[in-house]
Amino acid sequence: MYNKSIFRTAILFSVILMMIQSCRQDEIKRPSEINCPIMDNADFTANPKSDRFQAILNSYVGKGLPGITLLVKDDHGFYIGSAGMADIKKGVKMQPCHISKIASITKFMLGAAVFRLQEKGVLSLDDTISKYISSDILSKIDNGDKPVTIRNLMNHTSGFYELIKDEGFYLQVLNNPGRHWSQEDLLKYVYGKPAMFSFNPVDTAAYSNTNYTLLSMVVEKATGKPHSQVMHEEVFEPLGMTDTYYFWHDDLPSDRIAQGYYDLYNNGNLENLTNWNTGSGNGYGGVYSTVWDMYLFINALFVDKTLLTQASLNQMLVFHKTIESRKHLGVACFKDFIDIGDPTKDYAWGHRGRDLSYSADLFYFPEHHAIMSLIVNYGTDGDSPLRPVFKEMRDNIAKLIVEAY
């Protein structure tokens, strides 16, 4: 989600201002050592591979990742564990009960809420977005005059310009890191910019955060409610996700948020960028959660099938033929891990989360009846030395999940 080259260029000209602003942003408080019942529950290390999963986490903290939490659940039981630090400066160890930003997994959850609205007859994924978004807005967006549907937003076939790659947007993040962005604020960086491709959804797809900003607006027009409220009503509350928050709409706990880090200067030093906001709260990012609450969501979605009907799941799991960053794009969902082993059985359904100083993965491996819920308090969308380290780790976790017992 984050454009590293643009951001680095801006830093060269604004480093002093950046440091001053960063020091002033303290809306998200530092965590404390907490009483985490998971740590003392033997059921959560019952999986026969538990020691091997823990060894992976320990190894990659040793390679530089600040803090990691992982949940794996399959037919042989749970593994839930952590390694590293939730707060390096305070020396607070990472625990499964710490809450972290899960970035674009927000899209996965908003998408599920939209499917539930369709099931209730509030909207249809085949509605054109012009039914919900004014011509004043769409006329300023390239491809906005095309018959773009809600489905095209959700499976990234609209072609709409990617606001996250806009230089002007990142300069504003730099100048005011803690800003609370509105949808209209963000769309200013889309207006008048060229589409990524001509609207041709059968043949062309490419990931764009702009799609989910517009989707949040569709939800608000269709329901007459803030989309944050819809996410709570349709997803968080029904599933008992009591440790899940949508920033900036929800107040975050004062003592449980793991700090987020990034090697901003590419010098091996991890900078605390917890309070830097790349547009959270506008459909494409902003959810903070735990590996357990993430598990509740994906287990209800794909295992218990209590969140959506099978008809909705069938639509969600239609994947575009385009392969982008080792994955296929579905409808608010990815088909990922397509190249770690046997592609006919070792793939997973779910979503990645990548932001400036946090990363997450939430996936279900249907052929192995296994769930992977992963949080790392380091930003891996930018091209830093730790990004390949993170990618190697997630692949190794997935390979262990699909390995035969």
Side-chain angles (χ1 to χ4, degrees):
M1 191 172 76
Y2 154 58
N3 189 309
K4 178 65 177 294
S5 61
I6 291 173
F7 204 68
R8 281 253 176 84
T9 300
I11 287 169
L12 293 175
F13 297 99
S14 308
V15 62
I16 296 175
L17 177 61
M18 176 195 67
M19 294 304 295
I20 293 171
Q21 292 288 349
S22 179
C23 290
R24 291 176 179 170
Q25 305 304 321
D26 58 358
E27 180 174 12
I28 301 174
K29 306 300 182 182
R30 288 183 174 274
S32 303
E33 295 283 358
I34 54 180
N35 179 22
C36 185
I38 290 173
M39 304 293 288
D40 300 320
N41 190 330
D43 290 342
F44 294 135
T45 53
N47 191 289
K49 297 177 182 176
S50 290
D51 289 345
R52 297 173 68 190
F53 285 122
Q54 186 64 48
I56 291 175
L57 270 55
N58 294 343
S59 172
Y60 282 91
V61 166
K63 294 180 181 181
L65 294 176
I68 312 167
T69 298
L70 173 66
L71 178 153
V72 175
K73 171 64 168 65
D74 62 19
D75 293 339
H76 297 269
F78 280 99
Y79 160 78
I80 307 178
S82 299
M85 294 292 174
D87 188 324
I88 295 172
K89 184 176 181 179
K90 288 180 63 177
V92 176
K93 292 182 179 179
M94 190 77 148
Q95 296 175 268
C97 298
H98 279 121
I99 295 167
S100 291
K101 191 175 189 180
I102 60 172
S104 290
I105 294 173
T106 302
K107 298 180 179 72
F108 197 13
M109 295 175 177
L110 177 60
V114 171
F115 272 110
R116 284 172 63 89
L117 294 178
Q118 178 175 250
E119 291 174 4
K120 295 177 179 180
V122 175
L123 51 73
S124 167
L125 267 66
D126 294 318
D127 289 341
T128 57
I129 63 173
S130 59
K131 181 177 178 180
Y132 304 98
I133 299 175
S134 74
S135 59
D136 289 344
I137 290 174
L138 293 178
S139 65
K140 293 182 283 189
I141 301 176
D142 198 12
N143 279 1
D145 60 342
K146 303 299 190 292
V148 176
T149 66
I150 296 173
R151 192 184 311 273
N152 297 138
L153 297 181
M154 293 173 69
N155 68 5
H156 299 282
T157 54
S158 71
F160 289 145
Y161 177 80
E162 169 61 293
L163 70 90
I164 289 297
K165 293 185 178 180
D166 187 81
E167 182 174 2
F169 169 68
Y170 259 97
L171 286 172
Q172 288 303 310
V173 172
L174 179 71
N175 290 330
N176 188 0
R179 176 178 178 176
H180 290 183
W181 295 82
S182 70
Q183 298 144 328
E184 292 76 13
D185 291 336
L186 294 168
L187 289 179
K188 292 175 183 177
Y189 300 98
V190 179
Y191 294 154
K193 305 295 174 58
M196 293 192 292
F197 49 83
S198 298
F199 182 63
N200 184 12
V202 173
D203 293 328
T204 313
Y207 192 87
S208 173
N209 288 275
T210 304
N211 289 319
Y212 279 74
T213 297
L214 293 168
L215 183 64
S216 71
M217 298 171 72
V218 167
V219 168
E220 293 182 351
K221 183 66 174 180
T223 64
K225 302 175 182 178
H227 75 282
S228 58
Q229 179 180 343
V230 173
M231 291 176 71
H232 276 276
E233 293 176 350
E234 298 296 337
V235 178
F236 304 159
E237 293 170 8
L239 297 182
M241 297 169 63
T242 57
D243 286 326
T244 298
Y245 304 84
Y246 188 34
F247 185 76
W248 43 264
H249 305 277
D250 302 333
D251 292 332
L252 298 178
S254 62
D255 62 348
R256 296 182 58 197
I257 305 298
Q259 301 294 279
Y261 298 93
Y262 189 68
D263 184 358
L264 194 61
Y265 304 107
N266 202 24
N267 62 2
N269 294 324
L270 302 187
E271 304 294 333
N272 187 330
L273 303 184
T274 303
N275 284 282
W276 287 46
N277 179 9
T278 53
S280 293
N282 293 286
Y284 63 78
V287 170
Y288 284 70
S289 193
T290 63
V291 290
W292 179 257
D293 271 16
M294 290 162 64
Y295 162 78
L296 292 177
F297 170 74
I298 201 166
N299 186 70
L301 185 66
F302 290 137
V303 180
D304 293 343
K305 298 186 179 181
T306 56
L307 188 60
L308 299 182
T309 65
Q310 187 61 52
S312 291
L313 290 175
N314 291 343
Q315 293 184 58
M316 175 179 278
L317 299 174
V318 173
F319 298 100
H320 201 275
K321 62 184 178 181
T322 299
I323 296 176
E324 182 183 85
S325 299
R326 303 173 58 205
K327 67 183 185 297
H328 291 279
L329 299 169
V331 185
C333 182
F334 299 157
K335 183 178 182 180
D336 209 331
F337 299 106
I338 57 176
D339 56 2
I340 63 164
D342 183 342
T344 66
K345 65 182 181 69
D346 293 337
Y347 61 88
W349 302 328
H351 215 286
R352 304 175 186 177
R354 309 288 183 264
D355 199 70
L356 183 60
S357 55
Y358 294 93
S359 303
D361 281 292
L362 182 60
F363 287 97
Y364 175 61
F365 296 77
E367 301 297 327
H368 299 273
H369 308 144
I371 288 170
M372 168 186 172
S373 179
L374 173 68
I375 285 173
V376 177
N377 60 340
Y378 182 83
T380 57
D381 207 23
D383 187 19
S384 77
L386 282 176
R387 180 166 71 167
V389 172
F390 168 79
K391 291 181 176 180
E392 180 183 85
M393 181 191 69
R394 74 187 289 270
D395 280 356
N396 285 341
I397 292 170
K399 289 174 182 177
L400 181 53
I401 287 173
V402 304
E403 180 184 296
Y405 280 86

